[in-house]
Amino acid sequence: MEAKEWNVRILLTEDGDDTAARAALTTDDDTVITGNGRARRNPSDPSVPEIGDELAASRALADLAERLAVITQRDIASSADSPAPSRSW
């Protein structure tokens, strides 16, 4: 059995009450797929930077997962005679 390792790095940047995240998946053949997420603190909420980081990171990972699913659907469609389902779960 061959083991493969894919890595995800998340870059977080903050500007005042705004947090942006970029999740980058790098496959073992150096293909890179990225996802982006943002979070903004409501001025009436207490300042807890970790919450903004978590929310922006989760949104970036969700975006990355959706992009990976789209790529997978295209790959299935190009290698099969029948159309790929829109969701497999």
Coordinates of all heavy atoms in Angstrom, one line a residue:
M1 N 0.8 -1.2 0.0 CA 0.0 0.0 0.0 C 0.9 1.2 0.0 O 1.9 1.3 0.7 CB -0.9 0.0 1.2 CG -1.7 1.2 1.3 SD -2.6 1.6 2.9 CE -3.3 0.1 3.3
E2 N 0.5 2.2 -0.8 CA 1.3 3.4 -0.9 C 0.6 4.5 -0.1 O -0.6 4.7 -0.1 CB 1.3 3.9 -2.4 CG 2.0 5.2 -2.5 CD 2.0 5.8 -4.0 OE1 1.6 5.0 -4.9 OE2 2.3 6.9 -4.1
A3 N 1.3 5.2 0.8 CA 0.8 6.2 1.6 C 1.0 7.6 0.9 O 2.1 7.8 0.2 CB 1.5 6.3 2.9
K4 N 0.1 8.4 0.9 CA 0.2 9.8 0.4 C 0.0 10.8 1.5 O -0.8 10.5 2.4 CB -0.9 10.0 -0.7 CG -0.7 9.1 -1.9 CD -1.8 9.3 -2.9 CE -1.7 8.4 -4.1 NZ -2.7 8.7 -5.1
E5 N 0.6 11.9 1.3 CA 0.5 12.9 2.3 C 0.1 14.2 1.7 O 0.8 14.7 0.8 CB 1.8 13.1 3.1 CG 1.6 14.2 4.2 CD 2.9 14.3 5.1 OE1 3.5 13.3 5.3 OE2 3.1 15.4 5.6
W6 N -1.0 14.8 2.0 CA -1.4 16.1 1.6 C -1.4 17.0 2.8 O -1.8 16.6 3.9 CB -2.9 16.1 1.0 CG -3.0 15.3 -0.3 CD1 -2.0 14.6 -0.9 CD2 -4.2 15.2 -1.1 NE1 -2.5 14.0 -2.1 CE2 -3.9 14.4 -2.2 CE3 -5.5 15.7 -0.9 CZ2 -4.8 14.1 -3.2 CZ3 -6.4 15.4 -1.9 CH2 -6.0 14.6 -3.0
N7 N -0.9 18.2 2.6 CA -0.8 19.2 3.7 C -1.7 20.4 3.4 O -1.9 20.9 2.3 CB 0.6 19.7 3.8 CG 1.5 18.5 4.2 OD1 1.4 18.0 5.3 ND2 2.4 18.1 3.3
V8 N -2.3 20.9 4.5 CA -3.1 22.1 4.5 C -2.5 23.1 5.4 O -2.2 22.9 6.5 CB -4.6 21.9 4.9 CG1 -5.4 23.2 5.0 CG2 -5.3 20.8 4.0
R9 N -2.2 24.3 4.8 CA -1.7 25.4 5.6 C -2.8 26.5 5.6 O -3.4 26.8 4.6 CB -0.4 26.0 5.0 CG 0.7 25.0 5.0 CD 2.0 25.6 4.5 NE 2.3 26.8 5.2 CZ 3.4 27.0 6.0 NH1 4.3 26.0 6.1 NH2 3.6 28.1 6.6
I10 N -2.9 27.1 6.8 CA -3.9 28.2 6.9 C -3.2 29.5 7.3 O -2.5 29.5 8.3 CB -5.0 27.9 7.9 CG1 -5.7 26.6 7.5 CG2 -6.0 29.0 8.1 CD1 -6.7 26.1 8.6
L11 N -3.4 30.5 6.5 CA -2.8 31.8 6.7 C -3.9 32.7 7.2 O -4.9 32.9 6.5 CB -2.2 32.4 5.4 CG -1.7 33.8 5.5 CD1 -0.5 33.9 6.5 CD2 -1.3 34.4 4.2
L12 N -3.7 33.3 8.4 CA -4.7 34.2 9.0 C -4.1 35.6 9.0 O -3.0 35.8 9.4 CB -5.0 33.8 10.4 CG -5.7 32.4 10.5 CD1 -5.6 32.0 12.0 CD2 -7.1 32.5 10.1
T13 N -4.9 36.6 8.6 CA -4.5 38.0 8.7 C -5.7 38.8 9.3 O -6.8 38.5 9.1 CB -4.2 38.6 7.3 OG1 -5.3 38.5 6.4 CG2 -3.0 38.0 6.7
E14 N -5.3 39.7 10.2 CA -6.3 40.6 10.9 C -6.1 42.0 10.5 O -4.9 42.5 10.4 CB -6.2 40.3 12.4 CG -6.5 38.9 12.8 CD -6.4 38.7 14.3 OE1 -6.3 39.7 15.0 OE2 -6.5 37.6 14.7
D15 N -7.2 42.7 10.4 CA -7.2 44.2 10.1 C -8.3 44.7 10.9 O -9.5 44.7 10.5 CB -7.3 44.5 8.7 CG -7.3 45.9 8.4 OD1 -6.8 46.7 9.2 OD2 -7.6 46.3 7.2
G16 N -8.0 45.2 12.1 CA -9.1 45.7 13.0 C -10.0 44.5 13.4 O -9.6 43.5 14.0
D17 N -11.3 44.7 13.1 CA -12.3 43.7 13.4 C -12.5 42.7 12.3 O -13.4 41.8 12.4 CB -13.7 44.4 13.7 CG -13.6 45.2 15.0 OD1 -12.8 44.9 15.9 OD2 -14.4 46.1 15.2
D18 N -11.7 42.8 11.3 CA -11.8 41.8 10.1 C -10.7 40.8 10.2 O -9.5 41.1 10.4 CB -11.7 42.6 8.8 CG -12.9 43.5 8.6 OD1 -14.0 43.2 9.0 OD2 -12.7 44.5 8.0
T19 N -11.1 39.5 10.0 CA -10.1 38.5 9.9 C -10.3 37.8 8.5 O -11.4 37.5 8.2 CB -10.3 37.5 11.0 OG1 -10.1 38.1 12.3 CG2 -9.2 36.4 11.0
A20 N -9.2 37.5 7.8 CA -9.2 36.8 6.6 C -8.4 35.5 6.8 O -7.4 35.5 7.5 CB -8.7 37.6 5.4
A21 N -8.8 34.5 6.1 CA -8.1 33.2 6.1 C -7.9 32.7 4.7 O -8.8 32.8 3.9 CB -8.8 32.2 7.0
R22 N -6.8 32.0 4.5 CA -6.5 31.4 3.2 C -6.0 30.0 3.6 O -5.0 29.8 4.2 CB -5.5 32.1 2.4 CG -5.2 31.4 1.0 CD -4.2 32.3 0.3 NE -4.0 31.7 -1.0 CZ -2.9 31.0 -1.3 NH1 -2.0 30.8 -0.4 NH2 -2.7 30.5 -2.5
A23 N -6.8 29.0 3.1 CA -6.4 27.6 3.3 C -5.8 27.1 2.0 O -6.5 27.2 1.0 CB -7.6 26.7 3.8
A24 N -4.6 26.5 2.1 CA -4.0 26.0 0.8 C -3.6 24.5 1.0 O -2.9 24.2 1.9 CB -2.7 26.8 0.6
L25 N -4.2 23.7 0.2 CA -4.0 22.3 0.2 C -2.9 22.0 -0.9 O -3.0 22.4 -2.0 CB -5.2 21.5 -0.2 CG -5.1 20.0 -0.5 CD1 -4.7 19.2 0.7 CD2 -6.3 19.5 -1.2
T26 N -1.8 21.3 -0.5 CA -0.8 20.9 -1.4 C -0.7 19.4 -1.4 O -0.6 18.8 -0.4 CB 0.6 21.5 -0.9 OG1 0.5 22.9 -0.8 CG2 1.7 21.1 -1.9
T27 N -0.9 18.9 -2.6 CA -0.9 17.4 -2.8 C 0.6 16.9 -2.9 O 1.5 17.7 -3.1 CB -1.7 17.0 -4.0 OG1 -1.1 17.4 -5.2 CG2 -3.2 17.5 -3.9
D28 N 0.7 15.6 -2.9 CA 2.1 15.1 -3.1 C 2.7 15.3 -4.4 O 3.9 15.2 -4.6 CB 2.1 13.6 -2.7 CG 1.1 12.8 -3.5 OD1 0.4 13.3 -4.3 OD2 1.2 11.5 -3.3
D29 N 1.9 15.7 -5.4 CA 2.5 16.1 -6.7 C 2.6 17.6 -6.9 O 2.7 18.1 -8.0 CB 1.7 15.4 -7.9 CG 0.3 16.0 -8.0 OD1 -0.1 16.8 -7.2 OD2 -0.4 15.6 -9.0
D30 N 2.5 18.3 -5.8 CA 2.7 19.8 -5.7 C 1.5 20.6 -6.3 O 1.7 21.7 -6.6 CB 4.0 20.2 -6.2 CG 5.2 19.8 -5.4 OD1 5.0 19.8 -4.1 OD2 6.2 19.5 -5.9
T31 N 0.4 19.9 -6.5 CA -0.8 20.7 -6.9 C -1.3 21.5 -5.7 O -1.3 20.9 -4.6 CB -1.9 19.7 -7.3 OG1 -1.5 19.0 -8.5 CG2 -3.2 20.4 -7.7
V32 N -1.7 22.7 -5.9 CA -2.2 23.6 -4.8 C -3.6 24.0 -5.1 O -3.9 24.5 -6.2 CB -1.3 24.8 -4.6 CG1 -1.8 25.7 -3.5 CG2 0.2 24.4 -4.3
I33 N -4.5 23.8 -4.1 CA -5.9 24.2 -4.2 C -6.1 25.1 -3.0 O -5.7 24.8 -1.9 CB -6.8 23.0 -4.2 CG1 -6.5 22.0 -5.3 CG2 -8.3 23.5 -4.3 CD1 -7.1 20.7 -5.1
T34 N -6.8 26.3 -3.2 CA -6.9 27.2 -2.1 C -8.4 27.5 -1.9 O -9.3 27.4 -2.8 CB -6.2 28.5 -2.4 OG1 -6.8 29.1 -3.6 CG2 -4.7 28.3 -2.6
G35 N -8.7 27.9 -0.6 CA -10.0 28.3 -0.2 C -9.8 29.6 0.6 O -8.8 29.8 1.3
N36 N -10.9 30.4 0.6 CA -10.8 31.7 1.3 C -12.0 31.8 2.3 O -13.1 31.3 2.0 CB -10.8 32.8 0.4 CG -9.6 32.8 -0.5 OD1 -8.4 33.0 0.0 ND2 -9.7 32.5 -1.8
G37 N -11.7 32.5 3.4 CA -12.8 32.8 4.3 C -12.6 34.1 5.0 O -11.4 34.6 5.1
R38 N -13.7 34.7 5.5 CA -13.6 36.0 6.2 C -14.5 35.9 7.4 O -15.5 35.2 7.5 CB -14.0 37.1 5.3 CG -13.2 37.3 4.1 CD -13.5 38.5 3.3 NE -13.0 39.7 3.9 CZ -11.7 40.1 3.9 NH1 -10.8 39.3 3.3 NH2 -11.3 41.2 4.4
A39 N -14.1 36.7 8.4 CA -15.0 36.9 9.6 C -14.9 38.4 10.0 O -13.8 39.0 9.9 CB -14.5 36.0 10.7
R40 N -16.0 38.9 10.5 CA -16.0 40.3 11.0 C -16.7 40.4 12.3 O -17.8 39.9 12.5 CB -16.7 41.2 10.0 CG -16.8 42.6 10.5 CD -17.3 43.5 9.4 NE -16.6 44.7 9.6 CZ -16.6 45.7 8.7 NH1 -17.3 45.6 7.6 NH2 -15.9 46.8 8.9
R41 N -16.0 41.0 13.3 CA -16.6 41.1 14.6 C -17.6 42.2 14.6 O -17.4 43.3 14.1 CB -15.5 41.4 15.7 CG -16.0 41.5 17.1 CD -14.9 41.8 18.1 NE -14.4 43.1 18.0 CZ -14.9 44.2 18.6 NH1 -15.9 44.1 19.4 NH2 -14.3 45.4 18.4
N42 N -18.8 41.9 15.2 CA -19.8 42.9 15.4 C -19.2 43.8 16.5 O -18.8 43.4 17.5 CB -21.1 42.2 15.9 CG -22.2 43.2 16.1 OD1 -22.0 44.3 16.6 ND2 -23.4 42.7 15.7
P43 N -19.3 45.1 16.3 CA -18.7 46.1 17.2 C -19.3 46.0 18.6 O -18.7 46.3 19.6 CB -19.1 47.5 16.6 CG -19.2 47.2 15.2 CD -19.8 45.8 15.1
S44 N -20.5 45.4 18.8 CA -21.1 45.3 20.1 C -20.7 44.0 20.8 O -20.9 43.8 22.0 CB -22.7 45.2 20.0 OG -23.1 44.1 19.3
D45 N -19.9 43.1 20.1 CA -19.4 41.9 20.7 C -18.1 42.2 21.4 O -17.3 43.0 20.9 CB -19.3 40.8 19.7 CG -20.6 40.2 19.2 OD1 -21.6 40.4 19.9 OD2 -20.6 39.6 18.1
P46 N -17.7 41.4 22.4 CA -16.4 41.6 23.0 C -15.3 41.1 22.0 O -15.5 40.3 21.1 CB -16.4 40.6 24.2 CG -17.5 39.6 23.9 CD -18.5 40.3 23.1
S47 N -14.1 41.7 22.2 CA -13.0 41.4 21.3 C -12.3 40.1 21.7 O -11.7 40.1 22.8 CB -12.0 42.6 21.3 OG -10.9 42.2 20.4
V48 N -12.6 39.0 21.0 CA -11.9 37.8 21.2 C -11.3 37.3 19.9 O -12.0 36.6 19.1 CB -12.9 36.7 21.8 CG1 -12.2 35.4 22.1 CG2 -13.7 37.3 23.0
P49 N -10.1 37.7 19.6 CA -9.5 37.4 18.3 C -9.5 35.9 17.9 O -9.6 35.6 16.7 CB -8.0 37.9 18.5 CG -8.1 38.9 19.5 CD -9.2 38.4 20.5
E50 N -9.4 35.0 18.9 CA -9.5 33.6 18.6 C -10.7 33.2 17.8 O -10.7 32.3 17.0 CB -9.3 32.7 19.8 CG -7.9 32.9 20.5 CD -7.9 34.1 21.4 OE1 -8.9 34.7 21.7 OE2 -6.7 34.5 21.7
I51 N -11.9 33.8 18.2 CA -13.1 33.5 17.6 C -13.1 33.9 16.1 O -13.6 33.1 15.2 CB -14.3 34.1 18.3 CG1 -14.4 33.5 19.7 CG2 -15.6 34.0 17.6 CD1 -15.4 34.2 20.6
G52 N -12.6 35.0 15.8 CA -12.5 35.5 14.4 C -11.6 34.6 13.6 O -11.9 34.2 12.5
D53 N -10.5 34.1 14.3 CA -9.6 33.2 13.6 C -10.3 31.9 13.3 O -10.2 31.4 12.2 CB -8.3 32.9 14.5 CG -7.4 34.1 14.6 OD1 -7.6 35.1 13.9 OD2 -6.5 34.0 15.5
E54 N -11.0 31.4 14.3 CA -11.7 30.1 14.1 C -12.7 30.2 13.0 O -12.9 29.3 12.1 CB -12.3 29.6 15.4 CG -11.3 29.3 16.5 CD -11.9 29.2 17.9 OE1 -13.1 29.6 18.0 OE2 -11.2 28.8 18.8
L55 N -13.5 31.2 13.0 CA -14.6 31.4 12.0 C -14.0 31.6 10.6 O -14.5 30.9 9.7 CB -15.5 32.5 12.4 CG -16.7 32.8 11.6 CD1 -17.6 31.5 11.5 CD2 -17.6 33.9 12.1
A56 N -13.0 32.4 10.5 CA -12.4 32.7 9.2 C -11.8 31.4 8.7 O -11.9 31.0 7.5 CB -11.4 33.8 9.2
A57 N -11.1 30.7 9.5 CA -10.4 29.4 9.1 C -11.5 28.4 8.7 O -11.3 27.7 7.7 CB -9.5 28.9 10.2
S58 N -12.5 28.3 9.5 CA -13.6 27.3 9.1 C -14.2 27.6 7.8 O -14.5 26.7 7.0 CB -14.6 27.1 10.2 OG -15.5 28.3 10.3
R59 N -14.4 28.9 7.5 CA -15.0 29.3 6.2 C -14.0 29.0 5.1 O -14.4 28.6 4.0 CB -15.4 30.7 6.3 CG -16.6 30.9 7.1 CD -17.0 32.4 7.3 NE -18.2 32.5 8.0 CZ -18.7 33.7 8.5 NH1 -18.0 34.8 8.3 NH2 -19.8 33.7 9.2
A60 N -12.7 29.2 5.3 CA -11.7 28.9 4.3 C -11.6 27.4 4.0 O -11.5 27.0 2.9 CB -10.3 29.4 4.7
L61 N -11.7 26.6 5.1 CA -11.7 25.2 4.9 C -12.9 24.7 4.2 O -12.9 23.8 3.3 CB -11.5 24.4 6.2 CG -10.1 24.6 6.8 CD1 -10.2 24.1 8.3 CD2 -9.1 23.8 6.0
A62 N -14.1 25.3 4.5 CA -15.3 24.9 3.8 C -15.2 25.3 2.3 O -15.6 24.5 1.4 CB -16.5 25.6 4.4
D63 N -14.7 26.4 2.0 CA -14.5 26.8 0.6 C -13.5 25.9 -0.1 O -13.8 25.5 -1.3 CB -14.0 28.3 0.6 CG -13.9 28.9 -0.8 OD1 -14.8 28.6 -1.7 OD2 -12.9 29.5 -1.1
L64 N -12.4 25.5 0.6 CA -11.5 24.6 0.0 C -12.1 23.3 -0.3 O -11.9 22.7 -1.4 CB -10.3 24.4 1.0 CG -9.3 23.3 0.6 CD1 -8.6 23.6 -0.7 CD2 -8.3 23.2 1.7
A65 N -12.9 22.8 0.6 CA -13.6 21.5 0.4 C -14.6 21.5 -0.8 O -14.6 20.6 -1.6 CB -14.4 21.1 1.7
E66 N -15.3 22.6 -0.9 CA -16.2 22.8 -2.1 C -15.4 22.8 -3.4 O -15.8 22.2 -4.4 CB -17.0 24.0 -1.9 CG -18.1 24.2 -3.0 CD -19.1 23.1 -3.0 OE1 -19.4 22.5 -2.0 OE2 -19.6 22.8 -4.1
R67 N -14.3 23.5 -3.4 CA -13.5 23.6 -4.6 C -12.9 22.2 -5.0 O -12.9 21.8 -6.1 CB -12.3 24.6 -4.4 CG -12.9 26.0 -4.4 CD -11.7 27.0 -4.0 NE -12.2 28.3 -3.8 CZ -12.0 29.4 -4.5 NH1 -11.4 29.2 -5.7 NH2 -12.5 30.5 -4.2
L68 N -12.5 21.5 -3.9 CA -12.0 20.1 -4.2 C -13.1 19.2 -4.7 O -12.8 18.4 -5.6 CB -11.3 19.6 -2.9 CG -10.6 18.2 -3.0 CD1 -9.5 18.2 -4.0 CD2 -10.1 17.8 -1.6
A69 N -14.3 19.3 -4.2 CA -15.4 18.5 -4.6 C -15.7 18.8 -6.1 O -16.0 17.9 -6.9 CB -16.6 18.8 -3.8
V70 N -15.6 20.1 -6.5 CA -15.9 20.5 -7.9 C -14.8 19.9 -8.8 O -15.1 19.3 -9.9 CB -15.9 22.0 -8.0 CG1 -15.9 22.4 -9.5 CG2 -17.2 22.6 -7.4
I71 N -13.6 19.9 -8.4 CA -12.5 19.3 -9.2 C -12.7 17.8 -9.3 O -12.6 17.2 -10.4 CB -11.1 19.6 -8.5 CG1 -10.8 21.1 -8.7 CG2 -10.0 18.8 -9.1 CD1 -9.6 21.6 -7.8
T72 N -13.1 17.2 -8.2 CA -13.4 15.7 -8.2 C -14.5 15.4 -9.2 O -14.4 14.4 -10.0 CB -13.7 15.2 -6.8 OG1 -12.6 15.6 -5.9 CG2 -14.0 13.8 -6.8
Q73 N -15.6 16.2 -9.2 CA -16.7 15.9 -10.1 C -16.3 16.1 -11.5 O -16.7 15.3 -12.4 CB -17.8 16.9 -9.8 CG -18.5 16.7 -8.4 CD -19.5 17.8 -8.0 OE1 -19.7 18.7 -8.8 NE2 -20.1 17.6 -6.9
R74 N -15.4 17.1 -11.8 CA -14.9 17.2 -13.2 C -14.1 16.0 -13.6 O -14.2 15.5 -14.7 CB -14.1 18.5 -13.3 CG -15.0 19.7 -13.4 CD -14.1 20.9 -13.7 NE -14.7 22.1 -13.2 CZ -14.0 23.1 -12.6 NH1 -12.7 23.1 -12.5 NH2 -14.6 24.2 -12.1
D75 N -13.2 15.6 -12.7 CA -12.4 14.4 -13.0 C -13.2 13.2 -13.2 O -12.9 12.4 -14.1 CB -11.4 14.2 -11.8 CG -10.3 15.3 -11.8 OD1 -10.2 16.1 -12.7 OD2 -9.6 15.3 -10.7
I76 N -14.2 13.0 -12.4 CA -15.1 11.8 -12.6 C -15.8 11.9 -13.9 O -15.9 10.9 -14.7 CB -16.1 11.7 -11.4 CG1 -15.4 11.3 -10.1 CG2 -17.2 10.7 -11.7 CD1 -16.3 11.5 -8.9
A77 N -16.4 13.1 -14.2 CA -17.1 13.2 -15.5 C -16.2 13.0 -16.7 O -16.6 12.4 -17.7 CB -17.7 14.6 -15.5
S78 N -14.9 13.4 -16.6 CA -14.1 13.3 -17.7 C -13.5 11.8 -17.9 O -13.1 11.5 -18.9 CB -12.9 14.2 -17.6 OG -12.0 13.9 -16.6
S79 N -13.6 11.0 -16.8 CA -13.1 9.7 -16.9 C -14.2 8.6 -16.9 O -13.9 7.4 -17.0 CB -12.2 9.4 -15.7 OG -13.0 9.4 -14.5
A80 N -15.5 9.0 -16.9 CA -16.6 8.1 -16.9 C -17.6 8.4 -18.0 O -17.6 9.5 -18.5 CB -17.3 8.2 -15.6
D81 N -18.4 7.4 -18.4 CA -19.4 7.6 -19.4 C -20.6 8.3 -18.9 O -21.4 8.9 -19.6 CB -19.8 6.2 -20.1 CG -18.6 5.7 -20.8 OD1 -17.8 6.4 -21.3 OD2 -18.5 4.4 -20.9
S82 N -20.9 8.1 -17.6 CA -22.1 8.7 -17.0 C -21.8 9.9 -16.2 O -20.7 10.1 -15.7 CB -22.8 7.6 -16.1 OG -21.9 7.3 -15.1
P83 N -22.7 10.8 -16.1 CA -22.5 12.1 -15.4 C -22.3 11.8 -13.9 O -22.9 10.9 -13.3 CB -23.7 12.9 -15.6 CG -24.8 12.0 -16.1 CD -24.1 10.8 -16.7
A84 N -21.4 12.6 -13.3 CA -21.2 12.5 -11.9 C -22.3 13.1 -11.1 O -22.9 14.1 -11.4 CB -19.9 13.3 -11.5
P85 N -22.6 12.5 -9.9 CA -23.7 13.0 -9.0 C -23.2 14.3 -8.4 O -22.0 14.5 -8.3 CB -23.9 12.0 -8.0 CG -22.6 11.2 -7.9 CD -22.0 11.2 -9.4
S86 N -24.1 15.2 -8.1 CA -23.7 16.5 -7.6 C -23.2 16.4 -6.1 O -22.3 17.1 -5.7 CB -24.9 17.5 -7.6 OG -25.9 17.0 -6.7
R87 N -23.6 15.4 -5.4 CA -23.1 15.1 -4.1 C -23.1 13.6 -3.9 O -24.0 12.9 -4.3 CB -24.0 15.7 -3.0 CG -24.0 17.2 -2.9 CD -22.8 17.6 -2.1 NE -22.8 19.0 -1.9 CZ -21.8 19.7 -1.6 NH1 -20.6 19.2 -1.4 NH2 -21.9 21.0 -1.4
S88 N -22.1 13.1 -3.2 CA -22.0 11.7 -3.0 C -22.2 11.3 -1.5 O -22.1 10.2 -1.1 CB -20.6 11.1 -3.4 OG -19.6 11.7 -2.7
W89 N -22.5 12.3 -0.7 CA -22.7 12.0 0.7 C -24.0 12.6 1.2 O -24.7 13.3 0.6 CB -21.6 12.5 1.6 CG -21.4 14.0 1.5 CD1 -22.0 15.0 2.3 CD2 -20.5 14.7 0.6 NE1 -21.5 16.2 1.9 CE2 -20.6 16.1 0.9 CE3 -19.6 14.3 -0.4 CZ2 -19.9 17.0 0.2 CZ3 -18.9 15.3 -1.0 CH2 -19.1 16.6 -0.7

